[in-house]
Amino acid sequence: MASTVVITGASQGSGKATANLFAQNGYSVVLAARQPERLEAVAQDIRAKGGDALAIPTDVTNPKQVQELVDFPISKNWLNY
């Protein structure tokens, strides 16, 4: 079972590149960013290449959203340690 990594800023730039790199190396990735459409596009691209990706729109300046970023994958047994 692969490990899971949470990546913020994953919808573009270095966050997107980092997400792709981890996915290419067998990690499951939980993607966070403020723009849902871009974020989901990254997740779909990773899945199309055979990776595991979960997109969770998140504004990291909002504590409630950050808590949801942590809680949701755990509640769905999506995180692998």
Side-chain angles (χ1 to χ4, degrees):
M1 185 176 279
S3 292
T4 302
V5 62
V6 176
I7 301 170
T8 60
S11 66
Q12 60 188 352
S14 61
K16 179 180 176 180
T18 301
N20 278 293
L21 183 62
F22 271 102
Q24 289 168 3
N25 284 285
Y27 287 81
S28 297
V29 292
V30 176
L31 310 174
R34 291 179 292 171
Q35 298 176 328
E37 295 82 16
R38 283 187 182 181
L39 190 62
E40 185 56 39
V42 173
Q44 287 177 6
D45 183 53
I46 289 171
R47 288 186 216 114
K49 295 175 184 171
D52 292 323
L54 176 63
I56 303 178
T58 306
D59 179 345
V60 297
T61 66
N62 181 319
K64 182 179 179 200
Q65 288 184 22
V66 172
Q67 190 63 53
E68 290 171 1
L69 172 64
V70 173
D71 290 344
F72 183 78
I74 291 171
S75 72
K76 301 298 181 188
N77 293 319
W78 208 85
L79 294 180
N80 305 312
Y81 300 98

